[in-house]
Amino acid sequence: MRLQPTLSSPSLRRISSHARPNVLGLRAEDALRRWERRVPLTPTAVGAFVREGVKVLVQPSDKRIFSDEAYDKAGATITSSLSPASLVLGIKEIPAETLEPGTTYASFSHTHKGQEYNLPLLQRQLDTPSSRFIDWELLTDDNSVRTTAFGFLAGFSGMSDGLSLFGTKALASQGCATPFLTLPRPFMIPDVDRLKAELRRVGGEISKNGTPKIMGPIVVAVTGSGRVGKGARAVLDELPTTWIKASELQSIVESSDTDLRRIYACQLELGDYLTRTDGIPFDRESYRTNPDLYYSQFDSKIAPFTTILLNGAFWQPGYPRILSTAQLADIQASISPSRFLSVVDVSCDFGGGLEFVTSPTTIDDPVFQFEASTGEQHRNPGQPHSTQISSIEILPSQLPLDSSTHFSEAITPYVTSLLRDPKSEATNEYSRALKRATIVRDGKLTSNHVGLYELLKANKEKLGKTEKRKRVLLLGSGLVAGPAVRVLTSRRDVDLVIASNSLPSAQALASSHPNATAVLLDAGDEGQLEALIKSSDVALRYSLPLFCTLNKTSLVTASYVSPAMEALHEKAKAAGVVLLNELGLDPGIDHCSAMRLIQEARDSGNKQITSFVSFCGGLPPPSQSNGPLGYKFSWSPRGVLTAALNPASFRLSSNHHSISSSNLLSSYFPTVPIIRGFALEGLANRDSLPYLKEYGLPEDIGTILRGTLRYPGFSKVVDGMRRIGLLEMEAGKALAATGWEDVVDACLRLKGLEGGDGRKESIKSFLEDNSDREELLQDLLETLSALSLIPSSTPSLFPLPEFPAIPRPPLDLLSSLLASQLKYGPDEADAVILHHELGTVNVHGEDELFTSTLVQYGTPGSDSAMATTVGIVRPCALRIHLDLADVSFLFLIKANRSWCTVDFIRRSVFDAWPCLAVKRSGLETTPRQLRAAWGQASRAKEERKRSPSGVGEGDGE
């Protein structure tokens, strides 16, 4: 396959007239680039240069498409050293350590865009005296058209490879052996001509026997009409392909008369799937200038009728995606299982036009299977509701012979020009092109690339900054500290101090990290605490804002922004410190994912939002939920219990509800329908209404509700514990109990009631007199007995902790006991569930529900899910203080603001939890189900408002 260069070649005869001997070097591509078998010049081209008096040096290589012997026969010298060469050619980046002064280098250097990973190479190029660096990618004619592009072969290779890999996907997922199952992959075939022959063979089988009826017609959609699109089309033209318009897709797929002895293909135009929000027909110029007026309907117009998608379209930020993760989730859930089976992304704009394509695959590991509703990537092509993704970045390398031949012909005029005119001083089209393609010359960036100086400067400052060590103070060594310690100590510029009232646990955390130390901290010693804070740059703690502000130490915390914290804003600003709040799971990741969900809905064109529901909870997995409370503690029991004592407000189906702190546990949602397989109940979480403003939601939205998840029965039993006094936390109500089994009786005595033989009746007097009273009493007594809070004939779950010698409030005692009795065993793991639902109305007036779900499991014997989600987010946020030169705009920030304004934190969270995927469906269900559950619970409460002995409490709404 011969692809002629755009420009005519200067005469080779003129090279030998140059006064200085010409030495041309061809480097061997790095061994780590195992699939890079292409060469810049073929032996034929080398032979032509040799005959004209050019000495050619070729580094030996065992993987190159042309053998060393072929270059030797062409007259080249096979040698490891290219030092004598005045001009060195390569395909990929030339390693910094091999650069030599006085040499011109040409390759795909991947530096001209300021790629961060190659800034050190760019700096080394600037530091190499009297040298010149040319990037093949920048070679253009005078009309700015690239003359050395591989796009056609990328499209040809990608389409051929995609069809071959589709054969495996169809067999595994549909149980169908299509003719593509026998199509070799491109790298298995010597050249394009023989690959075309294989395609025609497969096409002959299709023409004769057709494709499997159970799959229906095989339809290929191609985006992009440039070189990539032309290459893909060339492949399909070797098959019995009928080219159709986008408007014909549905009829082709749904018609029983469609000929299955044909393949159907559609080369898509932008207007085939992009729609203006105001209904005006697509206009390319309008789209270029006002992309925000358009949204993609690929999910409804194209995907349901497509078998394979090859994406060769260019995409850039600010423009609508072809297909979002949310739309793919909807497609996978709703369309025929034989549709949208495979995606070949030749563009490799990761996270771009196809949002769910976030990383490259390789020639030897070419595909993964993706389930958009969970974000799971796996290797089982037979798993239902999964789409096969291929995103190979070096597709032309699968056709090294044709790629090398094409490239050699394309660059020969430029190589000739460089050998004849090394400084490109002539005024012809080749010299002009080479000047434009030169990035570095004689230690300076050329005029077209001077902007890279700023990136080099910033990178140098960043590297210099890492030499300035930061002292980070982590206060506490508890259940969520482990992941935070590992993330923080992974930074070489951080010295971590772990201060804890348990020195052994702090030492265990620090022992394997040379930049971590442990110190014993007496929390009651304010002098020691202040000294630790004063000597640190940043502190990580739930609450110490005043100390930090006074001592000019920044603070990163998972706590909500309290009024007291808010009042420190001006003091923090004056002190020049950052106070970052709400950086955990809830609050924290929940805000981040909520904002992403809302933006996803708006990007899809759904401007009207009707409801927002969010629930989050740390729970045992269902298999371990059969113990007391249906719960185990992966973080502070006191924190869990006090969270259940907060008042709450929310709006449900346009009705406002306010719940007092004393009634929160009795005013729960009996069922929360989120994930199949999980039976859950819910508690309203604080005041949901301020999040209308924080999330940018309409003030008149019908439903706004944030809640906490628990297993059924938790709320009623813990409410019973509250009623008998176990959640009292005031120091004046310290219990004079004789041991753990006397704690409940001591609470009853404090209220003037009997324990011992009268315990059951005393407890019963606190419970509402209704049909559930006896059942609840039995559940409560069984729980108290299992926890050894009343005398029990069964042994405790774990050895009981030592009972405090000094009287303590009931909540302190209960928290200490629960930390011992309901802890996770070494072979047990916890789970975290976070779920959002956003009700919207689309441009057609139809209800659409967007959902976002995270299910994180802990690792037995290692990090809990709670530790992972809470412990990692704060170190991600800590990068604000450690990495940003200017933090003056931060001072005091809630997470729901910082997730929106500090983009690299948001990216860190979604890198850690890609399963925060978005799914879209057509019905807004959960608010209705919650409303029904709430109404049922409220009616039941109305029927049993009578409270015996005046001890019970009212509804509080």
Side-chain angles (χ1 to χ4, degrees):
M1 181 179 184
R2 297 174 62 84
L3 303 174
Q4 297 299 327
T6 303
L7 307 175
S8 58
S9 174
S11 173
L12 291 173
R13 301 279 176 191
R14 300 172 61 187
I15 296 175
S16 59
S17 65
H18 194 270
R20 179 174 178 265
N22 293 287
V23 181
L24 174 62
L26 265 63
R27 68 179 303 270
E29 298 300 314
D30 295 339
L32 291 177
R33 298 184 181 276
R34 56 186 180 274
W35 285 100
E36 189 50 85
R37 302 179 63 215
R38 292 174 293 179
V39 297
L41 291 177
T42 64
T44 300
V46 166
F49 282 116
V50 170
R51 288 191 293 274
E52 300 306 321
V54 179
K55 183 176 182 179
V56 181
L57 308 178
V58 177
Q59 287 184 326
S61 173
D62 291 326
K63 67 175 181 176
R64 195 163 41 207
I65 186 60
F66 297 105
S67 67
D68 295 344
E69 183 182 8
Y71 284 106
D72 181 64
K73 287 182 178 180
T77 300
I78 309 302
T79 175
S80 297
S81 175
L82 298 182
S83 294
S86 58
L87 174 61
V88 174
L89 310 180
I91 295 293
K92 294 297 187 180
E93 299 99 318
I94 298 175
E97 63 272 14
T98 67
L99 302 181
E100 299 199 21
T103 306
T104 294
Y105 294 92
S107 68
F108 289 100
S109 70
H110 299 139
T111 58
H112 73 276
K113 295 179 182 177
Q115 292 94 322
E116 186 175 0
Y117 65 92
N118 265 345
L119 286 176
L121 173 60
L122 180 60
Q123 186 61 57
R124 183 63 177 267
Q125 292 173 350
L126 286 166
D127 294 339
T128 304
S130 305
S131 292
R132 182 179 180 185
F133 296 89
I134 297 167
D135 197 313
W136 297 128
E137 189 175 353
L138 301 179
L139 285 173
T140 62
D141 63 17
D142 289 337
N143 295 316
S144 300
V145 176
R146 284 184 62 187
T147 56
T148 55
F150 284 106
F152 181 90
L153 285 168
F156 196 95
S157 172
M159 190 72 261
S160 302
D161 205 31
L163 292 172
S164 175
L165 295 166
F166 167 73
T168 305
K169 175 67 174 177
L171 180 63
S173 65
Q174 307 298 308
C176 298
T178 69
F180 296 115
L181 190 61
T182 65
L183 177 65
R185 295 185 61 202
F187 73 86
M188 300 175 179
I189 303 298
D191 55 40
V192 166
D193 289 336
R194 274 177 277 192
L195 181 54
K196 285 184 175 182
E198 286 293 326
L199 288 164
R200 289 193 291 271
R201 175 187 62 78
V202 169
E205 292 182 33
I206 294 172
S207 296
K208 181 179 179 181
N209 302 316
T211 55
K213 291 182 180 179
I214 192 173
M215 292 187 66
I218 294 177
V219 179
V220 181
V222 179
T223 61
S225 55
R227 291 187 177 94
V228 170
K230 289 180 173 65
R233 186 164 187 136
V235 169
L236 295 168
D237 283 342
E238 299 296 330
L239 302 170
T241 298
T242 298
W243 288 91
I244 61 175
K245 297 178 180 179
S247 58
E248 300 175 273
L249 284 169
Q250 184 171 358
S251 60
I252 288 291
V253 170
E254 294 180 352
S255 173
S256 58
D257 297 328
T258 297
D259 188 356
L260 298 184
R261 292 171 298 177
R262 307 286 298 173
I263 298 297
Y264 298 88
C266 179
Q267 189 134 30
L268 297 169
E269 299 291 337
L270 292 172
D272 290 333
Y273 56 88
L274 291 177
T275 303
R276 271 185 66 130
T277 55
D278 55 11
I280 295 176
F282 178 85
D283 177 76
R284 184 177 292 272
E285 188 58 35
S286 165
Y287 171 68
R288 287 176 175 171
T289 55
N290 298 288
D292 56 314
L293 295 178
Y294 292 83
Y295 66 98
S296 173
Q297 288 189 298
F298 191 98
D299 60 323
S300 58
K301 288 186 173 182
I302 310 298
F305 317 109
T306 297
T307 315
I308 304 169
L309 166 65
L310 183 135
N311 178 37
F314 174 75
W315 180 86
Q316 59 183 343
Y319 285 76
R321 303 182 194 278
I322 298 170
L323 197 61
S324 70
T325 306
Q327 291 169 328
L328 178 61
D330 188 43
I331 290 165
Q332 291 175 336
S334 60
I335 67 174
S336 166
S338 63
R339 295 292 132 201
F340 214 71
L341 291 174
S342 180
V343 170
V344 182
D345 190 4
V346 180
S347 74
C348 292
D349 289 322
F350 300 119
L354 301 177
E355 184 188 23
F356 46 88
V357 182
T358 57
S359 59
T361 57
T362 61
I363 294 175
D364 49 348
D365 189 12
V367 297
F368 61 87
Q369 312 299 320
F370 182 70
E371 292 187 49
S373 63
T374 63
E376 180 187 5
Q377 294 183 7
H378 58 83
R379 301 295 180 188
N380 180 9
Q383 190 161 320
H385 308 297
S386 64
T387 301
Q388 181 166 279
I389 309 293
S390 173
S391 52
I392 299 171
E393 290 183 291
I394 54 170
L395 283 166
S397 295
Q398 293 206 84
L399 298 166
L401 179 61
D402 297 272
S403 295
S404 298
T405 301
H406 156 62
F407 191 66
S408 178
E409 292 173 348
I411 68 169
T412 291
Y414 303 103
V415 176
T416 302
S417 180
L418 284 168
L419 292 170
R420 180 174 57 82
D421 178 20
K423 294 185 178 181
S424 301
E425 294 175 332
T427 58
N428 60 50
E429 53 192 340
Y430 305 106
S431 294
R432 292 195 299 271
L434 287 164
K435 284 181 180 179
R436 290 191 296 267
T438 300
I439 298 175
V440 174
R441 187 166 190 169
D442 297 329
K444 296 179 180 179
L445 291 168
T446 58
S447 59
N448 289 341
H449 304 285
V450 290
L452 294 173
Y453 278 125
E454 288 300 315
L455 293 175
L456 288 165
K457 180 182 177 182
N459 189 58
K460 186 175 181 180
E461 291 174 351
K462 181 179 178 181
L463 293 174
K465 184 178 179 181
T466 60
E467 297 171 1
K468 299 176 183 178
R469 303 189 67 78
K470 296 286 187 179
R471 182 179 168 95
V472 178
L473 174 64
L474 177 61
L475 290 157
S477 56
L479 296 171
V480 300
V485 169
R486 281 197 300 279
V487 173
L488 291 168
T489 55
S490 67
R491 294 183 60 122
R492 290 177 294 180
D493 61 335
V494 164
D495 290 318
L496 179 65
V497 177
I498 307 170
S500 173
N501 60 359
S502 172
L503 186 59
S505 62
Q507 289 173 330
L509 287 170
S511 60
S512 58
H513 305 289
N515 57 336
T517 56
V519 299
L520 179 64
L521 172 65
D522 179 359
D525 186 345
E526 292 191 0
Q528 182 195 14
L529 185 59
E530 185 171 0
L532 283 170
I533 291 173
K534 192 171 185 178
S535 63
S536 303
D537 296 292
V538 191
L540 273 75
R541 174 65 182 180
Y542 285 99
S543 59
L544 285 173
L546 183 57
F547 266 130
C548 290
T549 304
L550 294 177
N551 290 284
K552 297 188 176 182
T553 300
S554 293
L555 174 70
V556 178
T557 171
S559 297
Y560 283 97
V561 176
S562 65
M565 176 76 81
E566 194 85 48
L568 288 172
H569 176 75
E570 292 303 324
K571 289 183 179 179
K573 188 173 182 179
V577 300
V578 177
L579 304 179
L580 280 173
N581 290 75
E582 303 187 7
L583 290 165
L585 169 64
D586 175 7
I589 296 174
D590 61 339
H591 297 323
C592 177
S593 53
M595 293 303 298
R596 182 194 188 195
L597 183 70
I598 293 165
Q599 188 60 48
E600 181 74 29
R602 287 175 172 155
D603 287 346
S604 75
N606 292 21
K607 305 301 183 184
Q608 184 180 348
I609 295 175
T610 57
S611 67
F612 177 78
V613 175
S614 174
F615 277 92
C616 182
L619 300 162
S623 61
Q624 298 170 23
S625 63
N626 202 32
L629 303 180
Y631 196 79
K632 292 193 174 187
F633 292 88
S634 56
W635 65 297
S636 164
R638 184 183 180 89
V640 173
L641 295 173
T642 55
L645 299 177
N646 292 310
S649 297
F650 59 92
R651 192 183 298 158
L652 185 61
S653 299
S654 300
N655 293 316
H656 179 80
H657 300 273
S658 293
I659 307 172
S660 66
S661 59
S662 60
N663 284 289
L664 183 71
L665 286 162
S666 62
S667 304
Y668 64 96
F669 293 89
T671 57
V672 180
I674 289 180
I675 301 174
R676 190 179 303 166
F678 282 86
L680 301 167
E681 68 181 31
L683 292 164
N685 184 7
R686 299 183 182 240
D687 188 357
S688 298
L689 299 181
Y691 291 93
L692 292 171
K693 181 179 180 180
E694 299 290 359
Y695 290 169
L697 297 171
E699 287 293 328
D700 60 351
I701 193 172
T703 295
I704 173 76
L705 169 63
R706 297 177 72 249
T708 301
L709 295 172
R710 294 290 181 260
Y711 286 124
F714 176 92
S715 301
K716 289 198 293 186
V717 172
V718 176
D719 187 50
M721 298 171 105
R722 180 192 65 81
R723 289 172 182 269
I724 63 177
L726 281 172
L727 303 192
E728 297 284 359
M729 64 184 81
E730 293 84 357
K733 294 188 178 180
L735 295 180
T738 59
W740 291 113
E741 291 187 344
D742 187 45
V743 168
V744 169
D745 286 357
C747 286
L748 296 175
R749 291 194 296 269
L750 201 63
K751 292 179 177 288
L753 298 172
E754 277 188 67
D757 294 339
R759 180 188 308 114
K760 182 176 180 178
E761 289 303 316
S762 294
I763 292 175
K764 185 176 180 179
S765 69
F766 286 97
L767 307 181
E768 291 184 2
D769 188 4
N770 56 59
S771 58
D772 297 332
R773 190 182 194 188
E774 290 298 328
E775 182 181 351
L776 176 56
L777 176 63
Q778 187 61 34
D779 289 344
L780 182 56
L781 288 172
E782 288 178 1
T783 299
L784 297 174
S785 175
L787 294 173
S788 300
L789 287 167
I790 60 176
S792 174
S793 58
T794 59
S796 61
L797 301 171
F798 293 97
L800 292 171
E802 183 178 353
F803 192 77
I806 301 173
R808 302 270 297 278
L811 181 62
D812 289 356
L813 292 172
L814 181 60
S815 299
S816 176
L817 183 67
L818 293 177
S820 166
Q821 298 299 288
L822 296 186
K823 64 184 178 182
Y824 284 89
D827 297 323
E828 296 178 330
D830 67 330
V832 162
I833 300 173
L834 171 61
H835 182 81
H836 304 302
E837 297 196 359
L838 187 74
T840 70
V841 176
N842 66 21
V843 293
H844 305 296
E846 302 164 334
D847 289 338
E848 284 192 319
L849 183 69
F850 287 74
T851 68
S852 173
T853 306
L854 178 150
V855 179
Q856 172 84 32
Y857 287 96
T859 303
S862 183
D863 295 329
S864 68
M866 187 64 69
T868 301
T869 51
V870 175
I872 287 181
V873 177
R874 283 180 291 162
C876 289
L878 185 61
R879 293 169 56 194
I880 292 177
H881 183 84
L882 297 178
D883 292 342
L884 291 186
D886 179 17
V887 295
S888 61
F889 65 97
L890 295 169
F891 297 118
L892 175 63
I893 289 187
K894 294 183 183 181
N896 49 345
R897 293 177 190 153
S898 63
W899 294 128
C900 305
T901 59
V902 186
D903 188 54
F904 68 78
I905 299 181
R906 185 171 65 250
R907 289 199 307 270
S908 296
V909 170
F910 286 104
D911 286 346
W913 292 284
C915 53
L916 280 167
V918 180
K919 179 181 178 182
R920 191 166 81 176
S921 60
L923 295 175
E924 191 231 334
T925 57
T926 297
R928 287 203 300 269
Q929 292 171 321
L930 288 173
R931 184 175 71 241
W934 180 264
Q936 183 180 3
S938 297
R939 286 192 298 274
K941 291 181 72 173
E942 286 295 327
E943 293 171 0
R944 59 185 190 234
K945 267 201 168 182
R946 181 168 55 88
S947 298
S949 307
V951 178
E953 295 155 283
D955 201 14
E957 292 191 40

